[in-house]
Amino acid sequence: RSLEGKLRIGLAEQSVLVSLSHAIALSDPRTKLSEDKCGTALDEAVRTVKQVYSELPTYDEIVPALLKHGVKALPDHCKLRPGIPLKPMLAHPTKSLTEVLNRFENMAFTCEFKYDGERAQIHLLESGDVKIYSRNSEDLSVKYPDIMQRLPKIIGPGVTSFVMDSEAVAWDREQKCILPFQVLSGRKRKDVAAEDVKVQVCVFGFDLLYLNGETLTHKSLVERRVLLHTNFNHVEGEFAFAKHMDGSSVEQIQTFLEESVTGNCEGLMVKTLEQEASYEPSKRSRNWLKLKKDYLDGVGDSLDLVVVGGFTGKGKRTGWYGGYLLACYDPDREEYQTICKIGTGFSEEALAQQAEQFKELIADGPKSYYQYGDSPNVRPDVWFEPKIVRLVL
DNA sequence: GTTGTCTGCCCC
DNA sequence: ATTCTGC
DNA sequence: GCAGAATGGGCAGACAAC
């Protein structure tokens, strides 16, 4: 966990990679370090190690290769390979179509449906083994035996190995339509047999990162997409290509966005096609933008809610409230019904100021007319008098 | 066995 | 996931 | 803009309690 940077001590993955790169570069006699070029050489080493790690995120292979061959030769020994999940490319959120058009002015770009499911990175190894990985590189192979089983139908002739980026989405076989994420999350995760799968899924492929021994990440999206479409088969209700539209006018995109929402999708992904259109593992790249319907202005309702409790903060929020319990007043029943917790969107200043504000409203316990659940995570550490109303977006 | 509580290199 | 902060 | 660390709802699984 130390190496993987998951200790929450202010030293996480990227800092570990920098440290490892520096340590190797500084101790390797092959790296000649003159005073003025030392900084540049270190930066170069970090760049190389990060690049390699993003494609083959396994210290078991990188560290021995570094020790044996040094930083410069590392990319020759550690390459993207089916069977090892690479860190998926992520998208930047945008709040309006204007923002998208602004970013991609004078560039070729494409819009894709943003499917509301689970990221699935599908690997076919030369050995014939199939593996499916989650967004966080968890092995989902056991969860999706149905996908494993149907793969032969999907793979085109001559394909011996590949890595595909896709979204697994809950699918209604009767209505032939996409079901919400909530349905998908009801699927079993362990000891799943393909025969008794209750929640069916359709896989929507949207990128191809490796094919028949060749890494495709440096190719442009338009090239990768051609390879995806020519080497895989659409299979009704089982595998489809993410729906896309390459038009660039406001009207075309607006229509496509509405179409995606009608089709039970979250909105659109907008991606560069030719320039700056490589696949950047692990990066939240500005070359991929997500335009979700609930980000858009005027979409989504706001509520007036009453703050009825506070949760003591942890870590850097120690000393004040890290989150609050909110309730909605029901005039018929004359009671406050707790509805959600809120813990983001507060600056440290607001957090401190609010702690002060609620100090005078601390109650001995929950009011008789508060209604809340049994679960401890909706039992705040401190209950408040129902005085403060907040507009929640 | 059945019920309840809590956790997760969880999913979003 | 979203959001804020220090660099 | 990056990296990191706060925090949300909701699920199946795991395990403790009965």
Side-chain angles (χ1 to χ4, degrees):
Chain A
R1 286 186 62 127
S2 300
L3 269 183
E4 290 178 341
K6 287 177 175 162
L7 291 178
R8 300 247 168 170
I9 52 173
L11 189 154
E13 191 177 61
Q14 300 306 312
S15 304
V16 173
L17 286 168
V18 170
S19 306
L20 174 65
S21 312
H22 284 189
I24 290 289
L26 291 169
S27 62
D28 187 344
R30 279 168 286 211
T31 339
K32 297 199 176 68
L33 298 175
S34 57
E35 279 296 319
D36 55 327
K37 292 215 176 132
C38 181
T40 323
L42 287 182
D43 287 347
E44 182 62 23
V46 170
R47 229 176 51 78
T48 303
V49 171
K50 281 192 177 183
Q51 167 65 27
V52 166
Y53 183 82
S54 72
E55 289 186 26
L56 198 83
T58 156
Y59 288 116
D60 289 348
E61 304 214 16
I62 291 179
V63 171
L66 275 171
L67 292 171
K68 191 166 180 194
H69 308 288
V71 177
K72 278 219 167 62
L74 182 66
D76 301 326
H77 297 90
C78 295
K79 294 172 182 301
L80 168 54
R81 175 189 354 136
I84 302 196
L86 66 154
K87 307 277 174 167
M89 183 166 171
L90 305 171
H92 261 297
T94 55
K95 289 190 163 63
S96 70
L97 191 46
T98 314
E99 190 181 344
V100 172
L101 293 170
N102 219 36
R103 162 74 184 103
F104 290 153
E105 203 174 26
N106 302 322
M107 292 179 90
F109 63 87
T110 185
C111 300
E112 294 172 355
F113 276 19
K114 186 181 190 307
Y115 295 92
D116 191 9
E118 179 173 26
R119 193 86 175 251
Q121 195 180 87
I122 307 177
H123 293 225
L124 172 66
L125 288 65
E126 295 288 352
S127 66
D129 286 351
V130 177
K131 288 285 180 183
I132 302 176
Y133 298 100
S134 77
R135 172 200 154 102
N136 292 316
S137 304
E138 293 292 319
D139 191 338
L140 297 182
S141 310
V142 175
K143 179 177 175 182
Y144 290 114
D146 44 344
I147 298 178
M148 315 274 274
Q149 208 170 64
R150 75 177 65 146
L151 219 54
K153 291 190 277 185
I154 294 164
I155 300 172
V159 174
T160 57
S161 63
F162 69 86
V163 175
M164 184 197 291
D165 206 352
S166 72
E167 192 83 5
V169 183
W171 180 260
D172 184 330
R173 289 197 168 172
E174 271 73 51
Q175 307 290 320
K176 297 189 192 304
C177 66
I178 286 169
L179 296 167
F181 174 78
Q182 193 165 320
V183 174
L184 178 70
S185 63
R187 255 185 85 114
K188 277 186 54 165
R189 295 167 188 168
K190 303 199 166 172
D191 302 319
V192 184
E195 301 78 48
D196 47 44
V197 165
K198 300 228 167 48
V199 178
Q200 297 297 336
V201 294
C202 182
V203 174
F204 289 87
F206 58 83
D207 214 324
L208 191 61
L209 317 177
Y210 185 97
L211 181 68
N212 297 342
E214 190 189 354
T215 301
L216 306 180
T217 52
H218 299 99
K219 293 185 180 293
S220 68
L221 175 57
V222 72
E223 294 173 286
R224 300 198 305 274
R225 196 166 68 184
V226 167
L227 289 169
L228 175 68
H229 281 75
T230 53
N231 286 282
F232 295 86
N233 312 314
H234 171 85
V235 179
E236 174 77 43
E238 297 190 31
F239 177 78
F241 301 106
K243 192 161 180 174
H244 69 93
M245 193 279 298
D246 295 355
S248 55
S249 78
V250 179
E251 294 75 21
Q252 284 172 309
I253 300 173
Q254 190 68 48
T255 305
F256 197 57
L257 174 60
E258 284 159 18
E259 201 185 319
S260 89
V261 173
T262 309
N264 292 340
C265 286
E266 281 190 293
L268 298 180
M269 298 291 295
V270 192
K271 304 174 179 180
T272 49
L273 264 182
E274 292 162 16
Q275 302 302 119
E276 301 172 43
S278 64
Y279 190 93
E280 305 174 84
S282 83
K283 289 252 167 50
R284 193 171 289 283
S285 169
R286 293 183 66 234
N287 300 332
W288 282 17
L289 304 179
K290 55 178 167 183
L291 187 59
K292 285 172 64 166
K293 59 170 187 278
D294 38 309
Y295 298 156
L296 294 176
D297 303 322
V299 182
D301 301 310
S302 60
L303 298 168
D304 288 307
L305 299 178
V306 185
V307 186
V308 296
F311 298 87
T312 54
K314 294 172 183 172
K316 61 186 180 186
R317 293 196 179 178
T318 302
W320 48 69
Y321 299 114
Y324 297 93
L325 182 64
L326 285 283
C328 180
Y329 182 66
D330 181 342
D332 295 336
R333 293 170 154 276
E334 295 185 324
E335 65 187 14
Y336 293 85
Q337 299 163 355
T338 58
I339 181 170
C340 67
K341 298 202 288 182
I342 290 187
T344 60
F346 301 121
S347 66
E348 289 190 358
E349 190 188 1
L351 247 17
Q353 188 228 315
Q354 284 165 173
E356 192 67 24
Q357 178 185 16
F358 283 110
K359 199 159 67 180
E360 296 162 19
L361 298 174
I362 294 174
D364 294 337
K367 298 291 172 185
S368 57
Y369 46 86
Y370 282 180
Q371 204 204 291
Y372 50 93
D374 298 322
S375 175
N377 62 337
V378 297
R379 305 293 189 99
D381 300 306
V382 181
W383 291 93
F384 301 138
E385 299 289 338
K387 287 271 164 36
I388 306 297
V389 177
R390 289 300 176 88
L391 185 62
V392 180
L393 298 177

